[in-house]
Amino acid sequence: ASLTEQQAGKKGVGVDVELCSAINIDNDTFVERNFTNAEIEYCQSRPDRQASFAGRWSAKEAVFKAISSYGKIASEGAAAPLNEIEIISDDVGAPQVVLSGKAKSAASAAGIKNVNVSISHSGGYSVAVALAQ
Amino acid sequence: ASLTEQQAGKKGVGVDVELCSAINIDNDTFVERNFTNAEIEYCQSRPDRQASFAGRWSAKEAVFKAISSYGKIASEGAAAPLNEIEIISDDVGAPQVVLSGKAKSAASAAGIKNVNVSISHSGGYSVAVALAQ
Amino acid sequence: ASLTEQQAGKKGVGVDVELCSAINIDNDTFVERNFTNAEIEYCQSRPDRQASFAGRWSAKEAVFKAISSYGKIASEGAAAPLNEIEIISDDVGAPQVVLSGKAKSAASAAGIKNVNVSISHSGGYSVAVALAQ
C-alpha cells in the first residue's frame, strides 16, 4: 500500500502529566526558551500562574509526542524547541495548537493536517492529551 | 472544501483530571444538578463512592471538552448542565456516553456521530479522556 | 450498514492513571505474570524503576481499555493476561504496542488494525492514553 493509503485515518496520540510545582516559572531562561511571549503574557494573567504554565507545558509535550508517534519524523523534529509548539486560547478558552519552524516542518513532512489538544489541571497536577491527524 | 469534506475523519479530544476529594459528594444540590439518578445510584453502590463520583465527573468534563473542540458549538452547548452528559456502564463495565437535551443538540449540530470515553482513578486522582468523532 | 461501514473511522480510546508506588515491583510472581522478559529488562535498566514499571503498566491498561471499547470483544479478550500486551520502545524511545495470544486474537476479531499508546509520569503518578483504530 502507498504511504497515503497506509496513513488514511491514521492518528498519533500523546499524553503528558506534570507535577505543577516541577515547572520552574521563576527561571526566565527556561521560560523564554519554551514559551512564546503570548503564552507568557497569558499564563502571567491567570489566577494560578503555576498551574497555567504547567498546563501549557503539558500541552506542548503531548503535542510533541503525538506528532512524533504519527510517523517517521525527520531528526530536526526531535530538536524543535518547545516554543515552536504554541498553545493559544480560542474565543471560548479552548486551546489551539500553532506550529512554527522545525515543529511545523516535521508535522508537514509526516503528512499531519491537524493537531488537537486538551488540557486539565487539579490538585497539584496538570494533564494534557493531543491528537495528530 | 465542503464542511463534510473538512470534517471527514476529524476528531475532537478532551481530557480531565480531578483531585477526587475536590468533588463535594455531600452537597445534594451539586450532585443532583450534575448527575442523573442512575449515575447517583451507581456511584453510591461502589466501594469507593468518592472516586466513583470523581471519575464520572472527569468523564463528563472530558466529553464536554471533546464536543466543544470538535467544531463551532452553538452557544447553548456551553450552557448544557452536566447531567445532560450521562455516563452509563455497559454489561462489561466499560463507560458509555448518553447525551440529552442541549448537549445532544450541540453534538448533532456539530456533526458528531459518536463520543467514546475512558475513565481511570488511582491514589487521590481521577482522569478521563474522550473522543468525539 | 455493514460492519465495515459502521466501523470506518471508528476509534477506541483508553486511559489509565496509576499511583506509581501502588505497583509492587518486588513481587516476582506479579511482575512475571504481567510483564515480558524484554519489558522487565528495560524497566530494570531505567534510573527510576518504579516509575518505569508503573508507566508500562498504565500503557497496558490503557491499551486493554482501548481495544475493549472498540467493539464487542470476544470473552477471551477480557481474560488476556497483560503480558500479551507488550510495550516496546522504538529507536527514538517512543512506545510501540505488540499484541500476542488472546489479546491479538481479540483485536483482530474486532477489526482493529493499529493501536497507538503514549506514556507519561511525573511526581508520584503515571498516565497513559491509547487509541485503537
Side-chain angles (χ1 to χ4, degrees), chain B:
Chain B
S2 72
L3 187 62
T4 301
E5 288 172 312
Q6 287 172 29
Q7 296 195 331
K10 190 173 187 301
K11 299 290 175 295
V13 65
V15 65
D16 190 70
V17 57
E18 296 292 340
L19 182 66
C20 295
S21 60
I23 306 296
N24 187 352
I25 66 173
D26 296 320
N27 180 333
D28 289 347
T29 304
F30 167 79
V31 169
E32 288 166 17
R33 192 173 54 219
N34 289 294
F35 296 88
T36 66
N37 289 341
E39 289 175 324
I40 295 169
E41 192 174 332
Y42 174 84
C43 292
Q44 296 282 14
S45 75
R46 305 292 295 170
D48 187 339
R49 295 163 52 214
Q50 187 76 43
S52 185
F53 273 108
R56 249 44 183 180
W57 176 270
S58 289
K60 290 165 184 274
E61 288 279 348
V63 168
F64 181 82
K65 291 178 182 179
I67 293 175
S68 301
S69 74
Y70 185 90
K72 294 295 181 189
I73 297 293
S75 57
E76 64 266 32
L82 284 186
N83 65 11
E84 292 185 352
I85 300 174
E86 185 176 26
I87 312 297
I88 61 171
S89 295
D90 70 12
D91 50 9
V92 293
Q96 304 288 326
V97 180
V98 180
L99 303 177
S100 60
K102 291 176 183 174
K104 185 176 184 178
S105 305
S108 296
I112 295 169
K113 294 178 185 61
N114 189 46
V115 185
N116 288 3
V117 72
S118 181
I119 309 170
S120 181
H121 53 78
S122 182
Y125 287 87
S126 65
V127 179
V129 174
L131 275 188
Q133 40 191 328

Side-chain angles (χ1 to χ4, degrees), chain C residues 29-43:
Chain C
T29 304
F30 167 79
V31 169
E32 288 166 18
R33 193 173 53 218
N34 290 293
F35 296 87
T36 66
N37 289 340
E39 289 174 325
I40 295 169
E41 192 174 332
Y42 174 83
C43 292

Side-chain angles (χ1 to χ4, degrees), chain A residues 9 11 15-17 19 65 125, chain C residues 116 118-120 122 124-125 133:
Chain A
K11 298 291 175 294
V15 66
D16 190 70
V17 58
L19 182 65
K65 292 178 181 179
Y125 288 88
Chain C
N116 288 3
S118 181
I119 309 172
S120 181
S122 182
Y125 288 87
Q133 39 191 331

Side-chain angles (χ1 to χ4, degrees), chain A residues 9-20 22 65 68-70 72 125 127 129 131, chain C residues 11 90-91 94 114 116-131 133:
Chain A
K10 191 174 187 300
K11 298 291 175 294
V13 65
V15 66
D16 190 70
V17 58
E18 296 292 340
L19 182 65
C20 294
K65 292 178 181 179
S68 301
S69 74
Y70 185 90
K72 294 294 181 190
Y125 288 88
V127 178
V129 174
L131 276 187
Chain C
K11 300 289 175 296
D90 70 12
D91 50 8
N114 189 48
N116 288 3
V117 71
S118 181
I119 309 172
S120 181
H121 54 79
S122 182
Y125 288 87
S126 65
V127 178
V129 174
L131 275 188
Q133 39 191 331

